[in-house]
Amino acid sequence: MRRMTKRRKQSKRRDGYVMLIVMMLILTTTAFAAVHQRHLASALRIEQARMLSEDRIAGPVAVMAVACERLESGQPPSPSAYQYTQTVRGTAVLYRIDYQLNGSRWTVSANPDPSATGLAVLPASF
């Protein structure tokens, strides 16, 4: 019987160490989660910025490129305004393109404008 009581006393001493190990495991896991959360959050911000940049390039920048390309084909009547529809990610956006002659230079502007439906469609060339 003495042996059994000694073993029980020894196992009670170990219970405190098991709780300490469990607490260390929980703290370590929480620390790893916090570190990885920072990296995941920064990766998400980078991806969102990349998507916004792609949308800008596919939207207003592409419309401005089309407007300038049409200006290279000839001179539009001055001042003139046209409509142009650009589709980005399945959404059609209507743009108003304005051409103005200032001296010997042309000024071209392309802005999203849902009320540009009454304007003429931008021709393939001038």
Side-chain angles (χ1 to χ4, degrees), residues 54-69:
E54 284 180 3
D55 286 350
R56 188 182 76 244
I57 290 170
V61 174
V63 171
M64 185 60 101
V66 168
C68 290
E69 179 186 38

Side-chain angles (χ1 to χ4, degrees), residues 73-96:
S73 69
Q75 292 190 356
S78 176
S80 59
Y82 297 96
Q83 68 169 321
Y84 185 78
T85 303
Q86 178 73 6
T87 303
V88 178
R89 294 185 189 219
T91 304
V93 179
L94 187 63
Y95 285 85
R96 176 187 175 101

Side-chain angles (χ1 to χ4, degrees), residues 5-16 18:
T5 52
K6 286 183 180 179
R7 286 184 184 175
R8 286 184 186 168
K9 288 180 182 177
Q10 287 177 354
S11 68
K12 287 184 179 180
R13 289 182 196 161
R14 291 180 189 162
D15 288 343
V18 171

